[in-house]
Amino acid sequence: MQRRKFIKRATLASMASLLGTEIVFGDTLAAGYLPLGLQEPDPFKMFNKDAQMVLLNDKPWNMEAQAHLLDDKITPNKFMFIRNNGNIPKEIDAENWTITFDGESVAREKTFTLKELKSNFKPYTYQLTLECGGNGRSEFDPPAKGNQWTIGAVSCATWTGVRLRDVLADVGIKDDAVYIAYHASDTHLSNDPSKEPISRGVPISKAMQDETLIAYQMNGTAIPIAHGYPLRLIAGGFPASASGKWVNRISIRNIIHDGPKMTGTAYRVPCEPIAPGEKIADEDMCIIESMPVKSLITYPKTGAVLQKGKSLNIRGHAWAGELKVREVAYSIDFGSTWKNCQLEQPANRLAWQHFNASIDFPQEGYYEVWAKATDENGIAQPMILPGWNPKGYLNNACHRIAIKIN
Amino acid sequence: MNSSNKKIAVFATILVLIAMVFFVVQDSSLFTFKENTEEYIAPETGINDPSHPDYDKIENGIHLRTGFAEGEGLQLVITNCTTCHSAKLVTQNRMSEERWKATIRWMQETQNLWDLGANEDTIVNYLATQYAPIAKGRRQNFAKIEWYNLKDE
C-alpha cells in the first residue's frame, strides 16, 4: 500500500507545510508550547516522514518503513516508524513539563521539572534499537488482530537523556519494588479522560540498566512530537511499547504493573507453545521482555536486476533484543547453503549491528537472498514463521530480497 | 463538517495567519491553539465534509472516503466503527465471524464501545464477509516484485 496523493484543503495545508517543517519541529519552539493545531492533513508532512513510508492507520497514527529505507546506520526521523495507541497530546508545554515518581514502592513521592531533570543528573547518549512487538504481524496465519506491520516497525536512533536508575536512586525505592510503570499525557481514542491509552513498564532489573533512559533528545535534537516530545522512557531491546512517549509520571510498583496493554493478550505470548489458531486462556499468556534475534537487508532494495558476472554487495543490520548478535549469514539457494557476512560490533549495548557481504551468482536467473542472524546464545532466526500467537507478536523470520541476474 | 466546526476552521485559519506574522516579526516561540476538528478524517481522500459530492461515493466496490468495501451494513460499520478509530484499522485485518465478534466484545469491555443492539448481527456479518481470513501458510511468495536495474554505487 503506497502513499496516495492527498487532496489538500488549500489554505490550511499550504500554511501548515510552511510552518510544519520549519517551526513545529524547530529548536526555537522546542523550548515552549508545541502547537499540533495545524492538523496538516498530510501526515508525511506533519511528522516530517519520507513519502515512501507506509501509512497503516490514521487514527491513531501508525506508519512503518520499508527495508531499504532503514539503510542508515542511525535511523533519522524521516524513516522512523510511528506506533501510537491513543491521540497525540494536543498541547505540550515543555517549559512547565514535570515528571512525578510515585507508586507503592517509592520511598518519597517526588516531582521534577524537565529543567531539573536535565540539571540534576548526568546525561548519557546511546544508540538504541526499538522494535514494535507486533513487527511482522501481517505474515501470521491465521491472521492476528491489530495493525498489520510487515518489516518496518524497527529503528535504531541515538537517544540522549538521564539514566532512570540515577533518578530512582535520588527518589529512593523500597525493597519490595518489582516493576516501574509509565504514565503519559496522550489521550484515549474514545476521548474518555479517565482512560489511559497505554501504560506499560519494565521489571526493576531492566529499569536499573545503564541504557534505560528518560530521554529528551533523539539524534541530537528535541524528540519529534510523534516520538514522545518532550520526554520519553527508552528501554531498548524490549518491545518498543515499553518505551513510553510523552511521559509525565513513573510509578514504582510492588506488583507487576497492571496498566492498559500490560494484561490480557496485549504484548504477551503463550507461556507454552500452541498450535496455529488454538484458543488460550489469558492466564496462560506471558509478558514479552527481550525481543528475539532478527536482521534486515537494507541494501539493495528488493527487485534488483544485475548483469551476469557482477557481484552484489548487500548490507543491513542485525539485533537480538537484550543480547548481542554473534553472526549473520546469507543464502542464495533457499537455505541449502549459508555463507557468513562481515558483522560489526554494536556501537554500544542494545544498538543494532551492521553487516555486509559480497555475493557472486553462479548463473542467470531468479534468486532470493535470505539473511539469518544468530544471537550470542546460538539461537538463530527461523526461515519460516515462528510460533503462532493470538496477537501476532515476535515474527523474527528471515528477511529476503528478490534478485534477477540477466 | 458542521457549522461549528466550520467556525473553528475559519478561526484556526485566522490564528495561523496571526501566528505567521507573529513569527516573522517576533521570531518568538509562544503560541498555541486548539485542534480544528475531532471528527474522523480520511487523510488519503480529504473527503470529510458531508456536503462533499463524493462523501458517500462508491467506486469499483470501494467507499472512497473510508476505503471500506461495498456491502450490506456499510453505513452501520462507518457509523459505529470510525467514531473512535480509523477505517484502516478494520480494512487491514482479516478475521472469522467468531473473532470479529470477540473483537467487538473486547472493545466493549475495555475501549468504551457501546452496545450495538440489533445492528450487531449486520455489522458482524459485513465484517466476516468482506474481511474474512485468507490462508497464507508458513511463508508466502513475494506478492509483487518491482524490478529495476541496479546501478553501481
Side-chain angles (χ1 to χ4, degrees):
Chain A
M1 187 171 53
Q2 291 293 328
R3 175 194 171 201
R4 285 172 220 150
K5 280 267 175 215
F6 291 89
I7 299 163
K8 291 165 191 147
R9 283 175 290 173
T11 46
L12 260 182
S14 57
M15 276 185 275
S17 61
L18 240 180
L19 290 171
T21 47
E22 291 169 22
I23 292 165
V24 173
F25 300 95
D27 286 342
T28 49
L29 197 68
Y33 283 97
L34 196 101
L36 192 61
L38 290 175
Q39 284 302 297
E40 162 63 70
D42 181 340
F44 298 87
K45 280 187 182 161
M46 184 162 64
F47 300 124
N48 282 341
K49 296 297 175 185
D50 187 89
Q52 294 178 78
M53 296 287 283
V54 180
L55 182 68
L56 296 183
N57 200 337
D58 47 79
K59 191 181 178 185
W61 293 110
N62 284 273
M63 194 186 277
E64 73 169 334
Q66 303 182 57
H68 69 280
L69 300 179
L70 293 168
D71 195 38
D72 296 274
K73 291 194 168 184
I74 296 171
T75 312
N77 173 64
K78 65 178 174 177
F79 298 135
M80 182 181 274
F81 75 99
I82 300 175
R83 196 284 180 260
N84 286 341
N85 287 262
N87 301 312
I88 294 176
K90 278 180 201 158
E91 286 166 15
I92 296 172
D93 180 4
E95 282 287 290
N96 296 305
W97 194 269
T98 59
I99 181 165
T100 298
F101 290 79
D102 65 4
E104 305 93 346
S105 297
V106 76
R108 183 172 55 92
E109 191 177 311
K110 195 165 176 178
T111 297
F112 301 90
T113 64
L114 184 50
K115 274 185 195 148
E116 284 169 340
L117 207 65
K118 286 180 184 175
S119 58
N120 294 6
F121 301 97
K122 192 179 165 202
Y124 293 88
T125 298
Y126 299 104
Q127 292 175 27
L128 296 166
T129 309
L130 292 182
E131 182 180 16
C132 174
N135 197 20
R137 174 178 292 140
S138 63
E139 285 194 283
F140 279 101
D141 181 16
K145 190 183 80 174
N147 287 295
Q148 298 296 304
W149 304 101
T150 63
I151 49 181
V154 61
S155 66
C156 185
T158 297
W159 295 91
T160 301
V162 301
R163 282 181 175 156
L164 176 58
R165 75 154 191 233
D166 288 351
V167 185
L168 292 179
D170 180 83
V171 170
I173 60 171
K174 295 178 188 167
D175 289 343
D176 65 350
V178 296
Y179 232 82
I180 66 100
Y182 66 76
H183 302 277
S185 64
D186 49 346
T187 58
H188 196 267
L189 294 177
S190 66
N191 285 323
D192 179 346
S194 70
K195 285 185 100 70
E196 291 180 284
I198 183 166
S199 166
R200 304 198 68 242
V202 295
I204 283 290
S205 56
K206 177 68 178 169
M208 292 301 181
Q209 286 182 7
D210 284 354
E211 302 82 7
T212 302
L213 301 177
I214 307 172
Y216 45 80
Q217 283 192 344
M218 187 185 102
N219 294 337
T221 58
I223 300 171
I225 186 162
H227 300 294
Y229 178 81
L231 265 192
R232 181 170 186 184
L233 178 67
I234 299 286
F238 270 45
S241 56
S243 296
K245 304 172 180 179
W246 315 289
V247 169
N248 56 22
R249 187 158 64 95
I250 288 180
S251 300
I252 296 97
R253 307 293 316 267
N254 64 2
I255 55 163
I256 292 171
H257 183 49
D258 51 0
K261 305 281 170 108
M262 280 301 299
T263 56
T265 56
Y267 300 103
R268 286 176 183 244
V269 289
C271 304
E272 290 166 1
I274 60 170
E278 194 179 325
K279 284 216 171 69
I280 178 165
D282 282 358
E283 59 264 32
D284 295 326
M285 300 284 283
C286 285
I287 298 171
I288 300 167
E289 294 191 344
S290 176
M291 293 292 287
V293 63
K294 200 164 173 180
S295 59
L296 269 185
I297 303 166
T298 59
Y299 181 88
K301 182 184 174 184
T302 188
V305 180
L306 272 83
Q307 295 303 309
K308 197 185 168 200
K310 288 236 172 192
S311 326
L312 173 67
N313 294 312
I314 62 158
R315 60 175 180 257
H317 319 290
W319 62 98
E322 290 274 283
L323 302 175
K324 240 166 88 167
V325 176
R326 187 166 77 190
E327 66 177 42
V328 178
Y330 73 86
S331 176
I332 59 168
D333 53 16
F334 303 95
S336 299
T337 60
W338 293 91
K339 284 185 176 147
N340 275 347
C341 299
Q342 284 204 336
L343 177 67
E344 292 179 26
Q345 290 297 309
N348 50 256
R349 197 176 161 264
L350 310 180
W352 65 18
Q353 296 166 242
H354 317 297
F355 67 85
N356 66 79
S358 179
I359 305 175
D360 294 312
F361 295 89
Q363 61 189 90
E364 292 182 20
Y366 172 87
Y367 293 88
E368 289 178 12
V369 178
W370 291 58
K372 180 176 72 173
T374 306
D375 72 22
E376 60 186 279
N377 292 338
I379 306 296
Q381 292 180 257
M383 289 183 72
I384 58 167
L385 273 275
W388 187 89
N389 62 89
K391 289 296 299 290
Y393 296 119
L394 308 185
N395 175 7
N396 66 334
C398 291
H399 180 231
R400 61 207 157 121
I401 56 171
I403 300 290
K404 206 182 268 183
I405 308 295
N406 280 343
Chain B
M1 200 186 286
N2 62 33
S3 66
S4 74
N5 275 338
K6 270 183 189 156
K7 276 180 200 158
I8 293 166
V10 169
F11 182 60
T13 309
I14 291 165
L15 268 178
V16 169
L17 281 167
I18 293 167
M20 285 178 78
V21 172
F22 191 62
F23 258 87
V24 172
V25 177
Q26 298 279 327
D27 189 30
S28 174
S29 60
L30 287 173
F31 77 93
T32 180
F33 52 84
K34 288 272 179 197
E35 211 172 344
N36 63 353
T37 176
E38 287 286 347
E39 75 190 33
Y40 175 64
I41 300 173
E44 297 199 4
T45 64
I47 309 167
N48 63 326
D49 182 343
S51 66
H52 194 289
D54 292 344
Y55 191 73
D56 275 321
K57 191 175 176 186
I58 288 170
E59 215 171 77
N60 302 322
I62 299 293
H63 183 255
L64 289 181
R65 175 167 57 94
T66 58
F68 278 130
E70 183 180 16
E72 193 194 334
L74 170 65
Q75 285 303 331
L76 282 175
V77 169
I78 294 171
T79 307
N80 288 283
C81 302
T82 68
T83 308
C84 285
H85 63 73
S86 169
K88 286 173 178 293
L89 195 54
V90 179
T91 57
Q92 61 177 313
N93 276 284
R94 299 287 180 274
M95 286 184 255
S96 63
E97 182 180 323
E98 184 190 8
R99 292 193 56 229
W100 278 116
K101 228 178 233 175
T103 302
I104 287 169
R105 292 289 167 270
W106 173 79
M107 286 188 282
Q108 287 169 332
E109 282 159 21
T110 69
Q111 306 296 309
N112 289 2
L113 174 63
W114 43 87
D115 183 355
L116 299 171
N119 293 328
E120 181 172 307
D121 284 350
T122 313
I123 289 170
V124 169
N125 186 51
Y126 170 90
L127 294 170
T129 306
Q130 303 298 336
Y131 303 103
I134 304 159
K136 284 182 279 197
R138 209 83 202 192
R139 209 76 211 256
Q140 288 186 292
N141 281 337
F142 286 113
K144 185 183 73 185
I145 302 168
E146 290 171 15
W147 296 106
Y148 66 97
N149 288 317
L150 185 66
K151 303 265 191 304
D152 287 328
E153 280 193 293

